[in-house]
């Protein structure tokens, strides 16, 4: 099969449409995964983030939810309209049932994880598959990456990505990879300087930069900061909606393709967040520039 992966240009859905700027994150939803994912799809989310690891995700239930939704909406929504991403997890991220034997070599672990993912999600091609984090060494990371490359080159994965990565490892991976990463997914938090260096690398090299944890408790000061409050008041929206809009406009103004992971379990907030993203004005104003200065995204 000819590879469907491309490291050139902007990643797209199988349908050819742009990937959504907001992605439903399914982490830490044990026992509630299926109804929450169904609710997200019903509300209008068209991108789902999961992982083969059972430490934080329940990939099989995510797959059930996607299948149920598509079966119930065959006339209006198709597999090609939904962006599905998952992750290979190292042994430290695993709980039973394991997708591989602990004694397997890295290549076998990666292959078995991808097979488990495709089975769990009932799909024949994965839109983007991430390393959940770099391994303990550059060689270990590259071994796992090369295994993913072989699957991507045979059409099983469309794009590759890496999560929870610092700038030094990202640079080395990018330099040595045959199939370059198209995505980076990192935690958006003050303690790491809002990931300025990795964000800059993604912008420079045209990678899609995904952030999670935007609404974590440690970011409460961003929700309450003056530019966000002013944007919310002037547009009659919530601070949560204002923060989403400011982040997306600020990124676009810098030539960065930004996606935001959102894991709310409230259908009300799902609707609000989707509405905010759909109504983003592309021209930055003083509030966006003030916010950019605040987090250091210059």
């Amino acid at each position: 099969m000819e590879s469907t992966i491309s490291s050139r240009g902007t990643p797209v859905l199988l349908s050819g449409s742009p990937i959504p700027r907001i992605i439903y994150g399914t982490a830490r939803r044990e026992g509630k995964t299926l109804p929450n994912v169904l609710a997200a799809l019903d509300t209008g989310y068209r991108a789902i983030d999961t992982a083969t690891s059972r430490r934080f995700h329940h990939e099989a239930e995510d797959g059930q939810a996607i299948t149920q939704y598509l079966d119930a909406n065959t006339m209006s929504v198709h597999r090609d309209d939904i962006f599905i991403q998952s992750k290979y997890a190292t042994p430290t991220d695993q709980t039973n049932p394991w997708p591989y034997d602990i004694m397997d070599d890295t290549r076998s672990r990666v292959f078995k994880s991808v097979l488990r993912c495709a089975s769990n999600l009932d799909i024949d091609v994965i839109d983007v598959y991430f390393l959940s984090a770099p391994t303990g060494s550059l060689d270990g990371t590259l071994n796992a990456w090369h295994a993913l490359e072989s699957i991507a080159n045979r059409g099983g994965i469309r794009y590759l990505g890496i999560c929870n990565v610092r700038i030094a490892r990202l640079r080395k991976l990018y330099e040595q990879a045959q199939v370059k990463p198209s995505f980076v997914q990192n935690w958006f938090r003050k303690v790491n300087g809002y990931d300025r260096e990795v964000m800059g690398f993604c912008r420079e090299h045209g990678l899609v930069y995904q952030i999670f944890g935007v609404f974590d408790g440690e970011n409460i000061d961003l929700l309450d900061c003056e530019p966000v409050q002013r944007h919310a008041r002037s547009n009659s929206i919530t601070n949560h909606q204002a923060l989403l809009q400011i982040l997306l406009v600020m990124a676009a103004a810098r030539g960065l393709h930004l996606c935001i992971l959102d894991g709310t379990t409230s259908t009300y907030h799902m609707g609000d967040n989707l509405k905010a993203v759909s109504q983003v004005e592309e021209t930055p104003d003083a509030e966006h520039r003030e916010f950019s200065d605040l987090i250091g995204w210059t």
Side-chain angles (χ1 to χ4, degrees), residues 24 35-36 38-40 42-43 45 264-274:
Y24 190 69
N36 286 333
L38 278 173
D42 279 331
T43 306
Y45 285 77
T264 182
T265 59
S266 162
T267 54
Y268 178 83
H269 289 146
M270 290 177 188
D272 269 2
N273 293 344
L274 284 171

Side-chain angles (χ1 to χ4, degrees), residues 83-283:
F83 198 76
I84 302 174
Q85 58 185 49
S86 189
K87 309 175 191 75
Y88 164 74
T90 62
T92 57
D93 285 329
Q94 292 294 347
T95 58
N96 286 327
W98 286 57
Y100 49 73
D101 191 291
I102 190 62
M103 299 306 294
D104 286 339
D105 59 25
T106 298
R107 189 175 181 85
S108 296
R109 288 176 180 173
V110 171
F111 284 0
K112 290 179 181 179
S113 291
V114 173
L115 283 172
R116 171 72 65 83
C117 172
S119 175
N120 282 341
L121 298 174
D122 194 22
I123 55 178
D124 55 10
V125 60
I126 304 165
D127 288 306
V128 55
Y129 202 74
F130 291 86
L131 290 184
S132 61
T135 62
S137 66
L138 177 60
D139 284 345
T141 300
L142 288 170
N143 285 340
W145 192 264
H146 293 326
L148 289 175
E149 287 176 331
S150 66
I151 301 171
N153 285 328
R154 289 169 172 79
I157 301 170
R158 299 180 60 226
Y159 305 104
L160 299 183
I162 187 165
C163 305
N164 303 301
V165 64
R166 296 182 180 178
I167 187 62
R169 184 64 59 88
L170 178 59
R171 288 187 189 280
K172 290 178 180 177
L173 172 64
Y174 194 86
E175 289 168 0
Q176 298 188 42
Q178 176 196 4
V179 177
K180 306 297 184 185
S182 296
F183 290 80
V184 170
Q185 185 186 117
N186 273 3
W187 198 348
F188 182 77
R189 56 199 309 222
K190 188 175 183 178
V191 71
N192 68 358
Y194 299 109
D195 213 27
R196 289 187 293 269
E197 290 183 313
V198 171
M199 177 279 296
F201 184 93
C202 291
R203 178 180 62 184
E204 179 184 354
H205 294 276
L207 280 61
V208 178
Y209 181 56
Q210 298 183 359
I211 55 177
F212 63 90
V214 171
F215 297 134
D216 285 357
E218 65 183 84
N219 287 332
I220 191 69
D221 56 328
L222 295 183
L223 283 169
D224 293 335
C225 72
E226 178 55 31
V228 167
Q229 290 195 35
R230 197 162 64 246
H231 184 79
R233 288 194 301 268
S234 62
N235 291 278
S236 300
I237 58 178
T238 68
N239 286 12
H240 287 75
Q241 290 175 303
L243 180 55
L244 287 173
Q245 290 187 351
I246 286 178
L247 282 167
L248 291 169
V249 173
M250 181 186 66
R254 284 153 181 76
L256 173 70
H257 191 147
L258 178 70
C259 294
I260 300 172
L261 270 72
D262 168 33
T264 182
T265 59
S266 162
T267 54
Y268 178 83
H269 289 146
M270 290 177 188
D272 269 2
N273 293 344
L274 284 171
K275 183 177 180 181
V277 170
S278 70
Q279 296 177 343
V280 168
E281 296 289 342
E282 298 299 335
T283 304

